[in-house]
Amino acid sequence: QLIESGGGLVQAGGSLRLSCAASGRYFANYAVGWFRQAPGKEREFVVSVSRTGGHTYYGDSVKGRFTISRNNAEKTVYLQMNSLEPVDTAVYYCAAGGSVSRFPRDYTFWGLGTQVTVSS
């Protein structure tokens, strides 16, 4: 089970940190990705991190602004989001899968999402 938290309302230029907390014993065996979906749009890849945290893969729209990290002892993945823009408004989902990937189909487990709203 994956549970996202940390979403909310922030002004443009602000920051938020999302968390993805996992239950179960094998969290460290999974790569974790963040995706987002705005109303009326398809789910968009944000970033993915490998099992050890040594490899990351960012979507073009968030490079240089968002940073992913993970703490396997805490079974948590973090998404630090800086310089937020109104276009970042979406429901953010974390997902766990076998390897770093930008494709939702490569992830087996999904959280229910957390809303991020960026006002102009």
Side-chain angles (χ1 to χ4, degrees):
Q1 184 180 9
L2 300 174
I3 300 175
E4 303 95 337
S5 62
L9 174 64
V10 64
Q11 289 188 331
S15 299
L16 283 174
R17 188 175 81 154
L18 304 184
S19 298
C20 173
S23 60
R25 299 172 56 187
Y26 303 109
F27 175 72
N29 291 348
Y30 293 94
V32 175
W34 284 95
F35 293 79
R36 65 187 183 185
Q37 190 164 18
K41 295 189 175 181
E42 293 186 354
R43 192 162 295 192
E44 177 188 9
F45 170 72
V46 177
V47 60
S48 184
V49 62
S50 62
R51 300 170 188 180
T52 64
H55 176 53
T56 56
Y57 178 27
Y58 288 88
D60 289 342
S61 61
V62 305
K63 281 180 182 177
R65 299 188 299 124
F66 291 12
T67 303
I68 192 170
S69 61
R70 69 186 293 164
N71 184 322
N72 285 340
E74 296 179 355
K75 299 182 184 178
T76 303
V77 170
Y78 301 98
L79 181 63
Q80 178 66 43
M81 306 187 296
N82 298 328
S83 302
L84 283 161
E85 305 167 356
V87 295
D88 295 316
T89 296
V91 177
Y92 283 71
Y93 300 90
C94 68
S99 61
V100 170
S101 172
R102 66 180 298 116
F103 301 108
R105 65 173 182 259
D106 292 329
Y107 294 85
T108 304
F109 304 102
W110 290 80
L112 297 179
T114 185
Q115 176 70 47
V116 171
T117 303
V118 184
S119 63
S120 58

